[in-house]
Amino acid sequence: EIGKRFFLVPPWSNAPVPPDRLRLVIEPGMACGTGWHPCTQLCVEALEQHLRPGDALLDVGSGSGILSEAARLLGAGRIAGCDIDEDAVRVARERITTAMFAGSSDAVRAGWADVVVANISSASAEELAGDFERVSKPGGVRILSGFEADDLPALPFPVLERSERSGWVCLVA
């Protein structure tokens, strides 16, 4: 179980999904995003809290596409994912139906996303923070994780929430 709504399983599992849970299928493999890391879990929990049905979501550093898939199950209207690792994009394209591209958030139109989620390093979050702000709609939510408590990114926008698990942090702005 991840968060309040998800039940994580590999594709070969026939495990019954507990009541009130959504089946989130993830192929454990080469791409980042198996669901076991605290940062992934914190991002899923933040999506449960902040993503509204119909929202447009941009998943930056999408890895396996686990966060994009969680957003789809939560009712996101439009989803795009990007990763600079072409192998990760290939893996994600094989298992999920959302738009995935090799590249970064600089390729996304300004004001497109209601929610930006990025499970990336602190340095990458700092480097891309301007793009996150640019692609976000007014009042949009940015969910950032992938870094430890002693390595928080310096961001040009206010952080509204901070959650932590096992020394790893998720920021909501």
Side-chain angles (χ1 to χ4, degrees):
E1 295 181 359
I2 294 180
K4 294 179 180 176
R5 301 199 46 206
F6 290 99
F7 185 66
L8 182 68
V9 295
W12 58 84
S13 174
N14 293 324
V17 178
D20 300 324
R21 292 274 172 175
L22 300 169
R23 182 181 173 88
L24 181 56
V25 179
I26 292 297
E27 175 76 51
M30 291 176 38
C32 291
T34 63
W36 291 104
H37 196 277
C39 291
T40 305
Q41 294 177 5
L42 290 167
C43 285
V44 167
E45 291 166 8
L47 285 172
E48 287 177 329
Q49 186 175 3
H50 296 283
L51 183 81
R52 297 177 313 271
D55 277 356
L57 174 113
L58 175 62
D59 180 1
V60 179
S62 58
S64 69
I66 186 172
L67 299 176
S68 292
E69 183 65 4
R72 185 189 69 76
L73 291 169
L74 290 170
R78 294 181 297 166
I79 302 168
C82 60
D83 202 301
I84 58 172
D85 181 343
E86 291 184 22
D87 287 333
V89 172
R90 181 185 49 75
V91 169
R93 283 180 179 160
E94 289 173 359
R95 60 161 304 283
I96 63 174
T97 59
T98 57
M100 295 295 212
F101 65 92
S104 188
S105 53
D106 62 355
V108 177
R109 184 185 64 197
W112 183 84
D114 296 294
V115 178
V116 174
V117 62
N119 190 3
I120 57 178
S121 71
S122 178
S124 295
E126 284 182 12
E127 181 180 332
L128 296 172
D131 274 338
F132 299 159
E133 200 164 19
R134 181 186 59 77
V135 302
S136 293
K137 290 180 180 177
V141 175
R142 295 164 207 110
I143 299 169
L144 309 174
S145 193
F147 33 83
E148 295 179 277
D150 61 355
D151 187 30
L152 298 180
L155 301 171
F157 38 78
V159 172
L160 305 174
E161 296 175 22
R162 173 186 164 150
S163 54
E164 188 171 335
R165 182 169 297 137
S166 302
W168 295 91
V169 175
C170 181
L171 303 174
V172 177

